[in-house]
Amino acid sequence: MAHRRGAWACAGVVLGWALLMPTAAHAQAAAPAPTYLKTTEPLGGAFELEGYPESNLRQIKYRGKVYRPLNAYEFIYVKALGPMQGGQPMLLAVSNDFMGVGTILIAVQNDTPLARVLSPTVDIRDPDMGLAQPGRQDLLLFTAGSRALVTSTGQVLWFEHALPKEYVHSIPLLVSVSPDNRHGALLLDNEIRLSVSDKGPYASVPFTKAMQQNAFKAAWDQSYAQAKQALHEGKRIDQRRLYANLKAEWVNRNFRWQQTQDGWQFIGQGLKPVALAGKPRQER
């Protein structure tokens, strides 16, 4: 009898220790990941992101190797855009300040990731994520780079603003793209140029400097007020880019694309396009 009581007592001691000791699986789940070791997370397809847990900077890896698009190797933002190319997801990425690249699109061709610059803006405090064209949520305008991105396909749009052998002093600002993605409206100092992808400009809307000063005054005041308020709150806003985006929004609210027998026209404010003198560029 005493022997049985001793056996039960020993079993109770062992059971008590077993209840106090966590299982190996539980102990592993509770252990925090070391902050001095890099972690890797899947991004889609053969792409991965690698970085330290306490840092917001990430490196892009493709098939296990670090990918450095345009010599940039640290990014503050990387996201799979949605469309695929070469069997891999297309990526939208924003580089770190020291990388000097900006906002880029990464797509795979022949199992090799390639990058295109969407915006040259390099500012981690106010990165250029593009402006959704009013009325077209599938299209992002990157006014700083005068480019557009069709988010549903990953197509990058760029339009020439000058005729062959023509010197235009103005810096073009892509402010609107037609529904067929083949025509673009570029804001210049004294007009709006209409251009066809791969062919060049074909018409001019006489939106003069005086008209623009009157039309964009509220946009300038708004950009100044927002930048001043952000500075007061210890934040930063690129006022010049904000002003450009506000001008693009104004143009899209006050002008519209209209398809005619002569092609797409950009009409608004009582103004109509006038054909440019000279021949447009030939297909490249």
Side-chain angles (χ1 to χ4, degrees):
M1 188 68 175
H3 176 73
R4 286 199 298 269
R5 284 199 301 267
W8 279 108
C10 291
V13 171
V14 173
L15 181 59
W17 277 106
L19 292 174
L20 291 174
M21 294 180 62
T23 62
H26 179 74
Q28 290 177 1
T35 58
Y36 57 85
L37 294 179
K38 286 185 176 181
T39 59
T40 302
E41 56 184 296
L43 187 57
F47 285 106
E48 296 175 311
L49 285 182
E50 184 178 71
Y52 295 102
E54 294 186 350
S55 173
N56 65 341
L57 298 178
R58 292 292 181 269
Q59 290 184 329
I60 301 172
K61 300 183 74 174
Y62 182 72
R63 299 201 182 282
K65 296 182 179 180
V66 175
Y67 171 56
R68 300 185 177 188
L70 306 174
N71 292 324
Y73 62 90
E74 286 186 329
F75 296 84
I76 63 166
Y77 177 91
V78 183
K79 180 182 179 181
L81 194 61
M84 307 283 287
Q85 181 171 301
Q88 302 292 336
M90 303 178 78
L91 308 180
L92 187 66
V94 180
S95 70
N96 181 21
D97 277 0
F98 298 105
M99 300 297 101
V101 172
T103 306
I104 63 175
L105 177 72
I106 300 171
V108 172
Q109 294 182 14
N110 299 323
D111 203 28
T112 301
L114 303 173
R116 293 188 64 179
V117 176
L118 296 172
S119 171
T121 298
V122 182
D123 188 347
I124 64 173
R125 290 170 293 183
D126 185 21
D128 190 358
M129 304 306 297
L131 169 72
Q133 178 171 313
R136 288 200 58 185
Q137 295 303 307
D138 68 323
L139 188 132
L140 294 177
L141 295 171
F142 290 89
T143 54
S146 200
R147 286 168 171 76
L149 172 66
V150 184
T151 58
S152 58
T153 63
Q155 181 184 12
V156 178
L157 306 176
W158 176 83
F159 301 91
E160 177 58 64
H161 68 289
L163 291 167
K165 299 182 181 181
E166 178 190 24
Y167 174 75
V168 179
H169 177 71
S170 306
I171 297 176
L173 186 73
L174 180 61
V175 292
S176 188
V177 176
S178 64
D180 67 350
N181 295 333
R182 289 274 298 156
H183 302 70
L186 301 120
L187 182 66
L188 305 181
D189 288 346
N190 212 41
E191 61 183 304
I192 296 176
R193 284 277 174 104
L194 303 185
S195 180
V196 182
S197 177
D198 295 328
K199 288 186 177 180
Y202 61 92
S204 171
V205 181
F207 191 40
T208 65
K209 182 177 294 186
M211 293 177 180
Q212 293 183 37
Q213 289 176 347
N214 181 61
F216 300 146
K217 183 181 183 307
W220 170 260
D221 293 341
Q222 181 181 343
S223 68
Y224 176 79
Q226 287 187 225
K228 184 177 180 180
Q229 180 63 27
L231 187 63
H232 178 73
E233 296 174 355
K235 303 175 184 178
R236 173 172 172 168
I237 289 180
D238 185 339
Q239 184 186 350
R240 182 171 58 179
R241 176 157 43 90
L242 175 60
Y243 180 46
N245 287 348
L246 291 173
K247 288 196 289 187
E249 289 181 337
W250 188 95
V251 170
N252 281 281
R253 288 196 307 268
N254 291 274
F255 286 81
R256 72 182 188 279
W257 289 98
Q258 180 175 315
Q259 191 172 23
T260 67
Q261 293 181 347
D262 298 326
W264 286 95
Q265 303 296 326
F266 202 51
I267 299 171
Q269 299 293 293
L271 304 174
K272 294 184 178 181
V274 177
L276 287 173
K279 296 182 179 179
R281 294 175 182 270
Q282 299 300 313
E283 291 280 357
R284 290 199 291 262

